[in-house]
Amino acid sequence: MKKLCKDRSNKMICGVCAGIAEYFGIDPTVVRVIWALATLILALFVGIIAYIVCALILPDKSTIE
């Protein structure tokens, strides 16, 4: 069973986008670009807060394995 978690081996900031990309089986760069565009289009504040919440809530990959 796949679990959503942060990927510290392919991280840029906290590994949230890398973890999401690994969960869905896509390139982390695609997730980062989508997250950045969504943050700029929707609201800068919402995207940053969502990233911080994900960084705090998602467990590290090393703690799950």
Side-chain angles (χ1 to χ4, degrees):
M1 180 176 186
K2 293 192 318 185
K3 296 198 180 228
L4 182 59
C5 57
K6 294 184 283 191
D7 185 6
R8 295 284 185 172
S9 64
N10 195 10
K11 72 176 188 164
M12 291 295 274
I13 298 175
C14 290
V16 173
C17 291
I20 292 171
E22 183 179 323
Y23 183 79
F24 289 108
I26 57 177
D27 185 36
T29 305
V30 173
V31 176
R32 290 180 186 119
V33 169
I34 291 171
W35 194 294
L37 288 175
T39 299
L40 292 174
I41 291 170
L42 298 175
L44 187 62
F45 182 73
V46 174
I48 293 171
I49 294 299
Y51 192 89
I52 291 170
V53 168
C54 287
L56 293 173
I57 292 175
L58 292 178
D60 285 334
K61 185 178 178 181
S62 60
T63 60
I64 291 179
E65 294 177 344

